[in-house]
Amino acid sequence: QVQLVESGGGLVQAGGSLTLSCVASGTIFAIKAMGWYRQVPGKQRELVATITIGGSLNYADSVKGRFTIFRDNAKNLVNLQMNSLEREDTATYYCNVDSIMRSYWGQGTQVTVSS
């Protein structure tokens, strides 16, 4: 059974940094991409950053230049380094692994940025 375990969320002041980590346990065949999404109450879940198995990167415009996604394919691990955090980054962050069979989601980790 596949599980995505996230860690690293918390409370941080504006301008600070956090690193989110996600490790996938179990076997996932034919991964296409790994990434991070976020959601605030009342809004749709939105893409933050993704990285394909080939290394292609995609970032939301709002986080470009501040967030960096990186992964270790051998360990099924994907991290999100978040710098210069803003109040608008406050959300629940979800790890995602997209394979040719299905998409997997973590349980979410809360990031709260205070002013």
Side-chain angles (χ1 to χ4, degrees):
Q1 184 176 355
V2 174
Q3 279 190 318
L4 304 186
V5 180
E6 299 138 332
S7 60
L11 174 64
V12 64
Q13 285 191 328
S17 298
L18 283 174
T19 299
L20 305 183
S21 294
C22 173
V23 178
S25 63
T27 301
I28 305 177
F29 293 102
I31 293 175
K32 297 188 297 181
M34 304 175 77
W36 290 91
Y37 292 71
R38 67 187 181 188
Q39 188 171 23
V40 297
K43 292 190 176 182
Q44 286 190 331
R45 192 171 296 187
E46 64 176 7
L47 179 148
V48 176
T50 60
I51 180 168
T52 69
I53 205 67
S56 296
L57 304 174
N58 186 31
Y59 291 97
D61 287 343
S62 60
V63 308
K64 284 180 181 176
R66 300 188 297 121
F67 291 10
T68 302
I69 187 170
F70 51 98
R71 53 103 173 101
D72 184 329
N73 286 340
K75 297 179 180 178
N76 277 353
L77 177 150
V78 60
N79 287 356
L80 185 68
Q81 174 67 42
M82 304 185 294
N83 298 327
S84 302
L85 283 160
E86 303 169 354
R87 287 190 63 185
E88 291 73 24
D89 296 317
T90 295
T92 301
Y93 285 70
Y94 296 90
C95 175
N96 172 263
V97 175
D98 192 33
S99 76
I100 62 172
M101 298 295 292
R102 56 163 289 183
S103 192
Y104 299 87
W105 293 93
Q107 79 285 356
T109 185
Q110 179 66 33
V111 172
T112 303
V113 184
S114 64
S115 58

